[in-house]
Amino acid sequence: MANSSRRSSLLFILRFIVISWSFFWFNVSCDDTSNRKVSMKFNPGCNMTVCTSGVNGSFVNVAHVSAVGSQDSLHYVMSTIGKPTVLVARINNQLKDLSINWEKLLSKNISDLHNSVTFDPEPIYSFAVVFNRLIEYNDTHDDSTLAKAWSNSTKVHNFPEFKWSSAEKESNTTSQTIVFKTSPESSNFFENGSLSFSIRFFNRTGREDSLPHLLFNDNMTMFDFTIDHMKPSYTNSRFALEMIMVTSDKPDDKMTVITKKSLDDEYTPGIFKIVDWRSHPDQLGAYMQWKPVCYKKNVRTMADSTSTRMYDLQDVTTIPERSLASAYFGKELTERKIAMKANNISFGLTGDKFYIDTNYTSWTAGIGYGAPSDETMSILVIAIIGAGLGIPAVIMIIGGIIVCMKKRQGQTDSPQFHHGYTTINA
């Protein structure tokens, strides 16, 4: 009976531990608080033909997404006019008005473009990420390095050369998505394919379902950049994307690119790094974040992944005048009175058979305000480690207690315990 009672007590303790861990994990995973109210508008205030029905198969796309919180509001303005751009403005309280002077915005005169986009009230911080150009290079030595290819064959695809379809909107309970995609009128660049930016906005904190499973929050947006069946110019073609970050900071403020390492590859197997491009290394500001991986097929799997390569930040040699950044920052941009740096990301790894292997490349990154998210071990992993280490320790402790108790009971049952000596005739 005593042994049966001890076994029952041990099983009860083990069940209690398992149930406690499960309850803890369930509560953490269900912590899904919405912090911002997200709304979206397309081409606000534009009644021109190029906005409503397009001209020569190409549409003007301007999307305004408001993410309103209790302390401030973030406003994202995205456009494919000229060079695709994501403009972000942080405003105290709520926005009264986003004003777009469409005639100036679409003017061929660069000086007319300046300040054609304004916010009321003025943002307390603003920045833009300009997708400046797409670079195709002939990787004859299969070393996947853009810098070495400059001396060989390269071809620059300027985004203003592309024609764009009307933006598409998708939404669910977690996020709202805008898709900018080149139109069939750009068929001279593609073989029944397209180039696209799929941009997502969130009202909570979480992690994306698809690879590379980046963390997201309601202070950022995330995008997929996809090249689908673009006509390669070379047998060994690879592609690189040149981006420019423009911020309202002073020109001498230091932008940094930091590669952080992690011991955990739970969400993106084989990838132990995450990259942060920050406007400030030690305070809140603009940032981009990504993992150094891209995918060679529409359905993302680890088997169809390859690496990306990052390069040093460079001074901007050519101002992105035909862009939403110029429309908002105006002369401050052209006169270089604000901070800006350029960065290249190339897609591909030595031995992956180049772009022509699948004619498809897709890369994901986040753009946000504040501090980039840090990768940490999930609660599930911590729970498993805790259970793996904790339960054996508890079993050993309980087992030790039971052994001590049993030994103690054996001593109390012995005649020596009761009489203090053993009889001679025993």
Side-chain angles (χ1 to χ4, degrees):
M1 290 294 292
N3 290 335
S4 177
S5 177
R6 293 190 193 99
R7 284 197 297 269
S8 298
S9 299
L10 180 59
L11 287 173
F12 174 79
I13 293 171
L14 292 176
R15 287 171 182 167
F16 176 77
I17 294 170
V18 172
I19 293 171
S20 298
W21 274 112
S22 301
F23 181 77
F24 175 69
W25 164 246
F26 176 79
N27 277 277
V28 171
S29 63
C30 291
D31 185 12
D32 195 17
T33 305
S34 297
N35 297 318
R36 294 187 183 273
K37 182 179 180 181
V38 178
S39 60
M40 187 182 302
K41 294 180 180 178
F42 287 98
N43 296 334
C46 182
N47 297 317
M48 303 172 70
T49 303
V50 71
C51 294
T52 56
S53 57
V55 174
N56 297 325
S58 185
F59 286 77
V60 163
N61 290 309
V62 176
H64 172 215
V65 175
S66 299
V68 180
S70 58
Q71 302 294 326
D72 62 1
S73 60
L74 290 174
H75 297 270
Y76 306 86
V77 185
M78 289 76 58
S79 173
T80 55
I81 296 173
K83 298 180 177 182
T85 303
V86 179
L87 172 66
V88 184
R90 179 172 179 251
I91 295 174
N92 279 335
N93 300 319
Q94 295 190 18
L95 179 72
K96 294 179 181 178
D97 183 41
L98 167 67
S99 176
I100 300 177
N101 188 321
W102 286 97
E103 291 186 359
K104 288 186 176 182
L105 182 62
L106 301 177
S107 173
K108 295 181 179 180
N109 189 333
I110 296 299
S111 61
D112 288 343
L113 181 68
H114 293 168
N115 305 118
S116 56
V117 175
T118 58
F119 296 94
D120 180 22
E122 282 287 324
I124 56 178
Y125 190 84
S126 55
F127 69 95
V129 175
V130 181
F131 300 99
N132 196 44
R133 55 182 180 167
L134 181 67
I135 303 166
E136 182 180 3
Y137 62 100
N138 191 16
D139 188 13
T140 54
H141 300 292
D142 193 18
D143 59 15
S144 70
T145 305
L146 173 62
K148 293 182 179 180
W150 280 114
S151 59
N152 298 317
S153 299
T154 58
K155 183 176 181 180
V156 175
H157 301 277
N158 291 307
F159 285 110
E161 298 173 358
F162 298 138
K163 295 184 178 181
W164 299 88
S165 297
S166 180
E168 301 174 4
K169 175 184 176 182
E170 303 170 1
S171 62
N172 55 44
T173 55
T174 303
S175 64
Q176 296 195 38
T177 303
I178 299 171
V179 181
F180 298 125
K181 183 184 292 186
T182 55
S183 74
E185 298 298 322
S186 295
S187 58
N188 53 317
F189 295 100
F190 302 96
E191 298 171 337
N192 298 320
S194 63
L195 181 147
S196 65
F197 295 90
S198 178
I199 310 171
R200 297 175 294 287
F201 304 88
F202 308 96
N203 59 9
R204 65 175 180 86
T205 298
R207 189 181 291 274
E208 288 219 299
D209 294 332
S210 62
L211 287 169
H213 300 301
L214 284 174
L215 287 166
F216 61 78
N217 58 56
D218 58 356
N219 289 329
M220 67 177 294
T221 178
M222 199 168 290
F223 69 88
D224 298 331
F225 170 70
T226 303
I227 312 168
D228 183 7
H229 283 82
M230 191 165 192
K231 295 176 182 177
S233 302
Y234 316 104
T235 304
N236 297 338
S237 281
R238 295 191 189 277
F239 288 92
L241 179 63
E242 183 181 80
M243 299 169 291
I244 297 175
M245 182 183 287
V246 183
T247 77
S248 56
D249 301 301
K250 296 179 181 179
D252 56 352
D253 283 356
K254 300 292 185 181
M255 288 191 189
T256 59
V257 175
I258 301 171
T259 300
K260 299 182 292 189
K261 296 182 180 180
S262 171
L263 296 176
D264 184 21
D265 67 340
E266 174 190 3
Y267 295 104
T268 314
I271 304 299
F272 294 91
K273 296 179 180 179
I274 190 165
V275 183
D276 293 340
W277 177 6
R278 299 188 63 174
S279 61
H280 294 285
D282 54 1
Q283 65 187 68
L284 300 182
Y287 71 85
M288 283 191 66
Q289 185 178 74
W290 65 90
K291 290 185 177 181
V293 61
C294 60
Y295 298 89
K296 300 175 65 177
K297 289 185 179 180
N298 183 33
V299 178
R300 296 182 173 188
T301 64
M302 186 176 67
D304 295 314
S305 66
T306 186
S307 294
T308 66
R309 188 183 291 271
M310 180 193 64
Y311 304 86
D312 293 334
L313 293 179
Q314 302 290 330
D315 292 331
V316 177
T317 55
T318 304
I319 299 295
E321 293 182 327
R322 180 62 62 182
S323 69
L324 197 64
S326 181
Y328 173 70
F329 289 106
K331 289 185 178 180
E332 288 185 306
L333 179 70
T334 57
E335 296 176 0
R336 300 177 183 266
K337 293 182 178 180
I338 51 179
M340 68 180 84
K341 287 289 183 180
N343 194 2
N344 290 320
I345 300 293
S346 61
F347 310 110
L349 177 69
T350 299
D352 65 4
K353 300 180 182 179
F354 310 102
Y355 174 76
I356 202 171
D357 180 43
T358 60
N359 288 318
Y360 187 94
T361 295
S362 187
W363 173 64
T364 299
I367 298 173
Y369 171 82
S373 301
D374 286 324
E375 284 286 349
T376 58
M377 289 187 181
S378 70
I379 300 300
L380 178 60
V381 171
I382 295 173
I384 292 172
I385 293 173
L389 297 176
I391 291 177
V394 170
I395 291 174
M396 291 175 64
I397 293 170
I398 294 174
I401 292 172
I402 292 174
V403 169
C404 291
M405 291 174 62
K406 189 172 182 180
K407 187 175 181 180
R408 177 68 175 171
Q409 184 179 7
Q411 291 176 346
T412 57
D413 292 340
S414 67
Q416 184 177 3
F417 180 85
H418 294 289
H419 302 287
Y421 63 90
T422 304
T423 58
I424 295 174
N425 297 327

